[in-house]
Coordinates of all heavy atoms in Angstrom, one line a residue:
M1 N -22.7 6.5 13.4 CA -22.5 6.0 12.1 C -21.1 5.4 12.0 O -20.1 6.0 12.5 CB -22.6 7.1 11.0 CG -22.6 6.6 9.6 SD -23.1 8.0 8.6 CE -22.6 7.3 7.0
K2 N -21.0 4.2 11.4 CA -19.7 3.5 11.4 C -18.8 4.1 10.4 O -19.2 4.4 9.3 CB -20.0 2.0 11.0 CG -18.8 1.1 11.2 CD -19.1 -0.3 11.0 CE -17.9 -1.1 11.1 NZ -18.1 -2.5 10.9
K3 N -17.5 4.3 10.8 CA -16.5 4.9 9.9 C -16.0 3.8 8.9 O -15.8 2.7 9.2 CB -15.3 5.4 10.7 CG -14.6 6.5 10.2 CD -13.6 7.1 11.1 CE -12.9 8.2 10.5 NZ -11.8 8.7 11.3
R4 N -15.9 4.3 7.6 CA -15.5 3.3 6.6 C -14.0 3.2 6.5 O -13.3 4.2 6.8 CB -16.0 3.8 5.2 CG -17.5 3.7 5.1 CD -17.9 4.0 3.8 NE -19.4 3.8 3.7 CZ -20.0 3.3 2.7 NH1 -19.4 2.9 1.7 NH2 -21.3 3.1 2.8
R5 N -13.5 2.1 6.1 CA -12.0 1.9 6.0 C -11.6 2.5 4.6 O -12.4 2.5 3.7 CB -11.7 0.4 5.9 CG -11.9 -0.2 7.3 CD -11.4 -1.6 7.3 NE -12.2 -2.5 6.5 CZ -11.9 -3.8 6.2 NH1 -10.9 -4.3 6.7 NH2 -12.7 -4.5 5.5
K6 N -10.4 3.0 4.6 CA -9.8 3.6 3.4 C -9.0 2.5 2.7 O -8.4 1.6 3.3 CB -8.9 4.8 3.7 CG -9.7 5.9 4.3 CD -8.9 7.1 4.6 CE -9.8 8.2 5.2 NZ -9.1 9.3 5.6
F7 N -9.0 2.6 1.4 CA -8.3 1.6 0.5 C -6.9 2.0 0.3 O -6.5 3.1 0.1 CB -9.0 1.5 -0.8 CG -10.4 0.8 -0.7 CD1 -11.5 1.6 -0.9 CD2 -10.5 -0.5 -0.5 CE1 -12.8 1.0 -0.8 CE2 -11.7 -1.1 -0.4 CZ -12.9 -0.4 -0.5
I8 N -6.1 1.0 0.3 CA -4.7 1.1 -0.2 C -4.5 0.1 -1.3 O -4.9 -1.1 -1.1 CB -3.7 0.7 1.0 CG1 -3.9 1.8 2.1 CG2 -2.3 0.7 0.5 CD1 -3.1 1.5 3.3
F9 N -4.0 0.5 -2.4 CA -3.8 -0.3 -3.6 C -2.3 -0.7 -3.7 O -1.5 0.2 -3.7 CB -4.3 0.3 -4.8 CG -5.8 0.7 -4.7 CD1 -6.2 2.0 -4.4 CD2 -6.7 -0.3 -5.0 CE1 -7.5 2.3 -4.3 CE2 -8.1 0.1 -4.9 CZ -8.5 1.3 -4.6
V10 N -2.0 -2.0 -3.8 CA -0.6 -2.4 -4.1 C -0.6 -3.2 -5.3 O -1.3 -4.1 -5.5 CB -0.1 -3.1 -2.8 CG1 -0.9 -4.3 -2.5 CG2 1.4 -3.4 -3.0
C11 N 0.4 -2.9 -6.2 CA 0.5 -3.5 -7.5 C 1.1 -4.9 -7.3 O 2.0 -5.1 -6.6 CB 1.3 -2.7 -8.4 SG 1.5 -3.5 -10.0
Q12 N 0.5 -5.9 -8.0 CA 1.0 -7.2 -8.1 C 1.3 -7.6 -9.5 O 1.2 -8.8 -9.9 CB 0.1 -8.2 -7.4 CG -0.1 -7.9 -5.9 CD 1.2 -8.2 -5.1 OE1 1.6 -9.3 -4.9 NE2 1.7 -7.1 -4.6
G13 N 1.5 -6.6 -10.4 CA 1.8 -6.9 -11.8 C 3.2 -7.6 -11.9 O 4.0 -7.6 -11.0
S14 N 3.5 -8.1 -13.1 CA 4.7 -8.9 -13.3 C 6.0 -8.1 -13.0 O 6.9 -8.6 -12.4 CB 4.7 -9.5 -14.7 OG 4.6 -8.5 -15.6
D15 N 6.1 -6.9 -13.4 CA 7.3 -6.1 -13.2 C 7.5 -5.8 -11.7 O 8.6 -5.9 -11.2 CB 7.3 -4.8 -14.0 CG 7.6 -5.0 -15.5 OD1 8.0 -6.1 -15.8 OD2 7.4 -4.1 -16.2
C16 N 6.4 -5.4 -11.0 CA 6.5 -5.2 -9.6 C 6.8 -6.5 -8.9 O 7.6 -6.5 -7.9 CB 5.2 -4.6 -9.1 SG 5.1 -2.8 -9.5
K17 N 6.2 -7.6 -9.3 CA 6.5 -8.9 -8.7 C 7.9 -9.2 -8.7 O 8.5 -9.8 -7.8 CB 5.6 -10.0 -9.3 CG 4.5 -10.4 -8.5 CD 3.8 -11.6 -9.1 CE 2.5 -11.9 -8.3 NZ 1.7 -12.8 -9.0
S18 N 8.6 -8.9 -9.9 CA 10.0 -9.3 -10.0 C 10.8 -8.3 -9.1 O 12.0 -8.6 -8.9 CB 10.4 -9.2 -11.5 OG 10.3 -7.9 -12.0
N19 N 10.2 -7.2 -8.6 CA 10.9 -6.3 -7.7 C 10.4 -6.5 -6.3 O 10.4 -5.6 -5.5 CB 10.7 -4.9 -8.1 CG 11.6 -4.5 -9.3 OD1 12.7 -4.9 -9.4 ND2 11.0 -3.8 -10.3
K20 N 10.0 -7.7 -6.0 CA 9.6 -8.1 -4.6 C 8.3 -7.4 -4.1 O 8.1 -7.0 -3.0 CB 10.7 -7.8 -3.6 CG 11.9 -8.6 -4.0 CD 13.0 -8.4 -3.0 CE 14.3 -9.2 -3.4 NZ 15.5 -8.8 -2.8
A21 N 7.3 -7.3 -5.0 CA 6.0 -6.7 -4.6 C 5.2 -7.6 -3.6 O 4.5 -7.1 -2.8 CB 5.1 -6.5 -5.9
K22 N 5.5 -8.9 -3.7 CA 4.8 -9.8 -2.8 C 5.2 -9.5 -1.3 O 4.4 -9.4 -0.4 CB 5.1 -11.3 -3.1 CG 4.1 -12.2 -2.5 CD 4.3 -13.6 -3.1 CE 3.3 -14.6 -2.6 NZ 3.4 -15.9 -3.1
R23 N 6.5 -9.3 -1.2 CA 7.1 -9.0 0.2 C 6.6 -7.6 0.6 O 6.3 -7.4 1.8 CB 8.6 -9.0 0.1 CG 9.3 -8.7 1.3 CD 9.0 -9.7 2.4 NE 9.4 -9.2 3.7 CZ 10.5 -9.4 4.4 NH1 11.4 -10.2 3.8 NH2 10.7 -8.9 5.5
F24 N 6.5 -6.7 -0.3 CA 6.1 -5.3 0.0 C 4.6 -5.4 0.5 O 4.3 -4.7 1.5 CB 6.2 -4.5 -1.3 CG 5.8 -3.0 -1.2 CD1 6.3 -2.3 -0.1 CD2 5.0 -2.4 -2.1 CE1 5.9 -0.9 0.0 CE2 4.7 -1.0 -2.0 CZ 5.2 -0.3 -0.9
A25 N 3.8 -6.2 -0.2 CA 2.4 -6.3 0.2 C 2.3 -6.9 1.6 O 1.5 -6.5 2.4 CB 1.6 -7.1 -0.8
E26 N 3.1 -7.9 1.9 CA 3.1 -8.5 3.2 C 3.5 -7.5 4.3 O 3.0 -7.5 5.4 CB 4.1 -9.7 3.2 CG 3.5 -10.9 2.4 CD 4.6 -12.0 2.2 OE1 5.7 -11.9 2.7 OE2 4.2 -13.0 1.6
D27 N 4.6 -6.7 4.0 CA 5.0 -5.7 4.9 C 3.9 -4.7 5.2 O 3.7 -4.2 6.3 CB 6.3 -5.0 4.4 CG 7.5 -5.9 4.4 OD1 7.4 -7.0 5.1 OD2 8.5 -5.6 3.8
I28 N 3.2 -4.3 4.1 CA 2.1 -3.3 4.3 C 1.0 -3.9 5.2 O 0.5 -3.3 6.1 CB 1.5 -2.9 3.0 CG1 2.5 -2.1 2.1 CG2 0.3 -2.0 3.2 CD1 2.1 -1.8 0.7
G29 N 0.7 -5.2 4.9 CA -0.3 -5.9 5.7 C 0.1 -5.9 7.2 O -0.8 -5.7 8.1
A30 N 1.4 -6.2 7.5 CA 1.8 -6.2 8.9 C 1.6 -4.8 9.5 O 1.2 -4.7 10.7 CB 3.3 -6.6 8.9
I31 N 1.9 -3.8 8.8 CA 1.8 -2.4 9.3 C 0.3 -2.1 9.6 O -0.1 -1.6 10.6 CB 2.4 -1.4 8.3 CG1 3.9 -1.5 8.3 CG2 1.9 0.0 8.7 CD1 4.5 -0.7 7.2
L32 N -0.6 -2.6 8.7 CA -2.0 -2.2 8.8 C -2.7 -3.0 9.9 O -3.7 -2.6 10.4 CB -2.7 -2.5 7.5 CG -2.3 -1.7 6.3 CD1 -3.1 -2.0 5.0 CD2 -2.4 -0.2 6.6
H33 N -2.1 -4.2 10.2 CA -2.7 -5.0 11.3 C -2.2 -4.8 12.6 O -2.4 -5.5 13.6 CB -2.6 -6.5 10.9 CG -3.5 -6.8 9.7 ND1 -3.0 -7.1 8.4 CD2 -4.8 -6.9 9.6 CE1 -4.0 -7.3 7.6 NE2 -5.1 -7.2 8.3
S34 N -1.4 -3.7 12.8 CA -0.8 -3.5 14.1 C -0.9 -2.0 14.4 O -1.1 -1.2 13.5 CB 0.6 -3.9 14.2 OG 1.4 -3.1 13.3
G35 N -0.8 -1.7 15.6 CA -0.7 -0.3 16.1 C -1.9 0.6 15.7 O -3.0 0.1 15.6
P36 N -1.7 1.8 15.5 CA -2.8 2.8 15.3 C -3.6 2.6 14.0 O -4.7 3.2 13.9 CB -2.1 4.2 15.3 CG -0.7 3.9 14.8 CD -0.4 2.5 15.4
H37 N -3.0 1.9 13.1 CA -3.7 1.7 11.8 C -4.7 0.6 11.7 O -5.4 0.4 10.8 CB -2.7 1.5 10.6 CG -1.6 2.6 10.6 ND1 -1.9 4.0 10.5 CD2 -0.3 2.6 10.7 CE1 -0.8 4.7 10.6 NE2 0.2 3.8 10.6
R38 N -4.7 -0.2 12.8 CA -5.5 -1.4 12.8 C -7.0 -1.1 12.5 O -7.6 -0.2 13.2 CB -5.4 -2.1 14.2 CG -6.0 -3.4 14.2 CD -5.8 -4.0 15.6 NE -6.5 -5.3 15.7 CZ -5.9 -6.4 15.6 NH1 -4.6 -6.5 15.6 NH2 -6.5 -7.6 15.7
G39 N -7.6 -1.8 11.5 CA -9.0 -1.6 11.2 C -9.4 -0.4 10.4 O -10.5 -0.2 10.1
K40 N -8.4 0.5 10.1 CA -8.7 1.7 9.4 C -8.5 1.6 7.9 O -9.0 2.5 7.2 CB -7.8 2.9 9.9 CG -8.1 3.3 11.3 CD -7.2 4.4 11.7 CE -7.4 4.8 13.2 NZ -6.5 5.8 13.6
F41 N -7.8 0.6 7.4 CA -7.5 0.5 6.0 C -7.8 -0.9 5.5 O -7.7 -1.8 6.2 CB -6.0 0.8 5.8 CG -5.6 2.2 6.2 CD1 -5.0 2.5 7.4 CD2 -5.8 3.3 5.3 CE1 -4.7 3.8 7.8 CE2 -5.4 4.6 5.7 CZ -4.9 4.8 6.9
K42 N -8.0 -0.9 4.2 CA -8.2 -2.2 3.5 C -7.2 -2.3 2.3 O -7.1 -1.3 1.5 CB -9.6 -2.2 2.9 CG -9.9 -3.4 1.9 CD -10.6 -4.5 2.6 CE -10.9 -5.6 1.6 NZ -10.4 -6.8 2.1
L43 N -6.4 -3.3 2.3 CA -5.4 -3.5 1.3 C -6.0 -4.2 0.1 O -6.5 -5.3 0.2 CB -4.2 -4.3 1.9 CG -3.0 -4.5 1.0 CD1 -2.3 -3.2 0.7 CD2 -2.0 -5.4 1.7
V44 N -5.8 -3.7 -1.1 CA -6.3 -4.2 -2.3 C -5.2 -4.5 -3.3 O -4.4 -3.6 -3.6 CB -7.3 -3.3 -3.0 CG1 -7.9 -3.9 -4.2 CG2 -8.5 -3.0 -2.0
K45 N -5.0 -5.7 -3.7 CA -4.0 -6.1 -4.7 C -4.5 -5.8 -6.1 O -5.6 -6.2 -6.4 CB -3.6 -7.5 -4.5 CG -2.9 -7.7 -3.2 CD -2.5 -9.2 -3.0 CE -1.9 -9.4 -1.6 NZ -1.7 -10.8 -1.2
T46 N -3.7 -5.1 -6.9 CA -4.1 -4.8 -8.2 C -3.2 -5.4 -9.3 O -2.1 -5.9 -9.0 CB -4.2 -3.3 -8.4 OG1 -2.8 -2.8 -8.4 CG2 -4.9 -2.6 -7.3
K47 N -3.6 -5.2 -10.5 CA -2.8 -5.5 -11.6 C -1.9 -4.3 -11.9 O -1.9 -3.3 -11.1 CB -3.6 -5.9 -12.9 CG -4.3 -7.2 -12.6 CD -5.1 -7.7 -13.8 CE -5.7 -9.0 -13.6 NZ -6.6 -9.5 -14.7
C48 N -1.2 -4.3 -13.0 CA -0.3 -3.2 -13.3 C -0.9 -1.8 -13.3 O -2.0 -1.6 -13.8 CB 0.3 -3.4 -14.7 SG 1.5 -2.1 -15.2
M49 N -0.3 -0.9 -12.6 CA -0.7 0.5 -12.5 C 0.0 1.4 -13.4 O 0.0 2.7 -13.2 CB -0.7 0.9 -11.0 CG -1.6 0.2 -10.1 SD -1.9 1.0 -8.6 CE -0.7 0.2 -7.5
D50 N 0.8 0.9 -14.3 CA 1.5 1.7 -15.3 C 2.6 2.6 -14.7 O 2.8 3.7 -15.2 CB 0.5 2.5 -16.1 CG 1.0 2.8 -17.5 OD1 1.9 2.1 -17.9 OD2 0.5 3.7 -18.1
C51 N 3.2 2.1 -13.6 CA 4.4 2.8 -13.0 C 5.5 1.8 -12.8 O 6.2 1.8 -11.8 CB 4.0 3.4 -11.7 SG 2.6 4.5 -11.7
C52 N 5.6 0.9 -13.8 CA 6.5 -0.3 -13.6 C 7.9 0.0 -13.2 O 8.5 -0.7 -12.5 CB 6.5 -1.1 -14.9 SG 4.8 -1.5 -15.4
K53 N 8.5 1.1 -13.8 CA 9.9 1.4 -13.5 C 10.1 1.9 -12.1 O 11.2 1.9 -11.6 CB 10.4 2.5 -14.5 CG 10.6 2.0 -15.9 CD 11.2 3.0 -16.8 CE 11.4 2.3 -18.1 NZ 11.8 3.2 -19.1
S54 N 9.0 2.2 -11.4 CA 9.1 2.7 -10.0 C 8.7 1.5 -9.0 O 8.6 1.8 -7.8 CB 8.2 3.8 -9.7 OG 8.5 4.9 -10.6
G55 N 8.5 0.3 -9.5 CA 8.0 -0.8 -8.7 C 9.0 -1.3 -7.6 O 10.2 -1.1 -7.7
P56 N 8.4 -1.9 -6.6 CA 7.0 -2.1 -6.4 C 6.3 -0.8 -5.9 O 6.8 0.0 -5.2 CB 7.0 -3.2 -5.3 CG 8.2 -3.0 -4.6 CD 9.2 -2.5 -5.6
V57 N 5.1 -0.6 -6.4 CA 4.3 0.6 -6.1 C 3.0 0.3 -5.3 O 2.5 -0.8 -5.4 CB 4.0 1.4 -7.3 CG1 5.2 1.9 -8.1 CG2 3.1 0.6 -8.3
A58 N 2.6 1.3 -4.6 CA 1.3 1.3 -3.9 C 0.7 2.7 -3.9 O 1.4 3.7 -4.2 CB 1.5 0.9 -2.4
V59 N -0.6 2.8 -3.8 CA -1.3 4.1 -3.8 C -2.1 4.2 -2.5 O -2.8 3.3 -2.1 CB -2.3 4.2 -5.0 CG1 -3.1 5.4 -4.8 CG2 -1.5 4.2 -6.3
V60 N -1.8 5.3 -1.7 CA -2.5 5.6 -0.5 C -3.1 7.0 -0.8 O -2.4 8.0 -1.0 CB -1.5 5.7 0.7 CG1 -2.3 6.1 1.9 CG2 -0.8 4.4 0.9
A61 N -4.5 7.0 -0.8 CA -5.2 8.2 -1.2 C -4.7 8.7 -2.5 O -4.8 8.0 -3.5 CB -5.1 9.3 -0.1
D62 N -4.1 9.9 -2.6 CA -3.6 10.4 -3.9 C -2.1 10.3 -4.0 O -1.5 10.9 -4.9 CB -4.1 11.8 -4.1 CG -3.7 12.8 -3.1 OD1 -3.1 12.3 -2.0 OD2 -3.8 14.0 -3.2
Q63 N -1.5 9.6 -3.1 CA 0.0 9.5 -3.1 C 0.5 8.2 -3.7 O 0.0 7.1 -3.3 CB 0.5 9.6 -1.7 CG 0.3 11.0 -1.1 CD 0.9 11.2 0.2 OE1 2.1 11.0 0.4 NE2 0.1 11.5 1.2
L64 N 1.4 8.3 -4.6 CA 2.1 7.1 -5.1 C 3.3 6.7 -4.3 O 4.2 7.6 -4.2 CB 2.4 7.3 -6.6 CG 3.1 6.1 -7.3 CD1 2.2 5.0 -7.5 CD2 3.6 6.6 -8.7
I65 N 3.4 5.5 -3.8 CA 4.5 5.1 -3.0 C 5.4 4.3 -4.0 O 5.0 3.2 -4.5 CB 4.1 4.2 -1.8 CG1 2.9 4.9 -1.0 CG2 5.3 3.9 -0.9 CD1 3.2 6.2 -0.4
K66 N 6.6 4.8 -4.2 CA 7.5 4.1 -5.2 C 8.6 3.3 -4.5 O 8.9 3.5 -3.4 CB 8.2 5.2 -6.0 CG 7.2 6.1 -6.8 CD 8.0 7.1 -7.5 CE 7.1 8.0 -8.3 NZ 7.9 9.1 -9.0
K67 N 9.1 2.3 -5.3 CA 10.2 1.5 -4.9 C 10.1 0.8 -3.5 O 11.1 0.7 -2.8 CB 11.5 2.4 -4.8 CG 11.8 3.1 -6.2 CD 12.6 2.2 -7.1 CE 12.9 2.8 -8.4 NZ 13.3 2.0 -9.4
G68 N 8.9 0.5 -3.1 CA 8.6 -0.2 -1.9 C 9.1 0.6 -0.7 O 9.5 0.0 0.3
D69 N 8.9 1.9 -0.7 CA 9.4 2.8 0.4 C 8.4 2.7 1.5 O 7.4 3.5 1.6 CB 9.5 4.2 -0.2 CG 10.1 5.1 0.8 OD1 10.3 4.8 2.0 OD2 10.5 6.3 0.4
L70 N 8.7 1.9 2.6 CA 7.7 1.8 3.7 C 7.7 3.1 4.6 O 6.7 3.3 5.2 CB 8.1 0.6 4.5 CG 7.9 -0.8 3.9 CD1 8.4 -1.9 4.7 CD2 6.4 -1.0 3.6
K71 N 8.8 3.8 4.6 CA 8.8 5.1 5.4 C 7.8 6.0 4.8 O 7.0 6.7 5.5 CB 10.2 5.7 5.4 CG 11.1 5.2 6.5 CD 12.3 6.0 6.6 CE 13.2 5.4 7.7 NZ 14.5 6.1 7.7
H72 N 7.9 6.2 3.5 CA 6.9 7.1 2.8 C 5.5 6.6 3.0 O 4.6 7.4 3.2 CB 7.3 7.2 1.3 CG 6.5 8.1 0.5 ND1 6.4 8.1 -0.9 CD2 5.6 9.1 0.9 CE1 5.6 9.1 -1.3 NE2 5.1 9.7 -0.2
L73 N 5.3 5.3 2.9 CA 4.0 4.7 3.1 C 3.4 5.1 4.5 O 2.3 5.5 4.7 CB 4.0 3.2 2.9 CG 2.6 2.6 3.1 CD1 2.2 2.0 1.8 CD2 2.6 1.5 4.1
E74 N 4.3 4.9 5.5 CA 3.8 5.2 6.9 C 3.5 6.7 7.1 O 2.6 7.1 7.8 CB 4.9 4.8 7.9 CG 4.9 3.2 8.0 CD 5.5 2.7 9.3 OE1 4.9 3.1 10.3 OE2 6.4 2.0 9.2
Q75 N 4.3 7.6 6.4 CA 4.0 9.0 6.4 C 2.6 9.3 5.8 O 1.8 10.1 6.3 CB 5.1 9.8 5.7 CG 6.4 9.9 6.4 CD 7.5 10.5 5.6 OE1 7.3 10.8 4.4 NE2 8.6 10.7 6.2
A76 N 2.4 8.6 4.7 CA 1.1 8.8 4.0 C -0.1 8.3 4.8 O -1.1 8.9 4.9 CB 1.1 8.1 2.6
L77 N 0.1 7.2 5.6 CA -0.9 6.6 6.4 C -1.2 7.6 7.6 O -2.3 7.8 8.0 CB -0.5 5.3 7.0 CG -0.4 4.1 6.0 CD1 0.1 2.9 6.7 CD2 -1.7 3.8 5.3
A78 N -0.1 8.2 8.1 CA -0.3 9.1 9.2 C -1.1 10.3 8.9 O -1.8 10.9 9.7 CB 1.1 9.5 9.7
T79 N -1.1 10.8 7.6 CA -1.8 11.9 7.2 C -3.3 11.6 6.8 O -4.1 12.5 6.6 CB -1.2 12.6 6.0 OG1 -1.1 11.7 4.9 CG2 0.2 13.1 6.3
E80 N -3.6 10.3 6.8 CA -5.0 9.9 6.5 C -5.8 9.9 7.7 O -5.5 9.6 8.7 CB -5.0 8.5 5.8 CG -4.5 8.6 4.4 CD -5.4 9.6 3.5 OE1 -6.6 9.4 3.5 OE2 -4.8 10.5 2.9
Ligands
FES1 S1 3.8 -4.0 -12.8 FE1 3.4 -2.7 -11.1 S2 3.1 -0.8 -12.1 FE2 3.4 -2.1 -13.7

């Protein structure tokens, strides 16, 4: 049986966009398309997730990644 990819949600709302959410999404995409994570995750761009003051934000499983923290994101990916 084929294993399903897990979803990662990254906010592209206006407040996050003004805090470089586009660049954050590109960086996440680069991480997901290389190394051990390749093919395991699907990046989904969303509208506001109501955490604007922590932007740019992403959600991996049940973890909220705040302030574009790629280290935290990689730790969350490693536990998935
Ligand atoms: S704009 Fe990203 S959480 Fe609101």
Side-chain angles (χ1 to χ4, degrees):
M1 190 168 165
K2 192 174 178 182
K3 208 172 179 184
R4 292 184 178 222
R5 291 187 293 174
K6 294 182 178 174
F7 290 106
I8 296 175
F9 300 97
V10 60
C11 179
Q12 297 292 293
S14 58
D15 284 349
C16 283
K17 256 188 186 165
S18 65
N19 286 318
K20 301 183 180 163
K22 198 171 182 181
R23 177 64 196 265
F24 184 45
E26 288 169 0
D27 290 345
I28 295 172
I31 290 169
L32 297 182
H33 290 107
S34 65
H37 306 306
R38 190 181 177 102
K40 292 183 181 172
F41 298 95
K42 169 101 177 123
L43 186 62
V44 179
K45 294 177 180 173
T46 70
K47 293 184 177 175
C48 181
M49 293 198 265
D50 208 20
C51 305
C52 306
K53 288 187 178 173
S54 301
V57 297
V59 173
V60 179
D62 59 349
Q63 294 185 56
L64 179 68
I65 312 299
K66 298 177 181 177
K67 302 277 182 194
D69 186 352
L70 290 172
K71 273 188 181 175
H72 185 196
L73 182 113
E74 291 204 54
Q75 287 172 352
L77 292 177
T79 59
E80 284 302 306

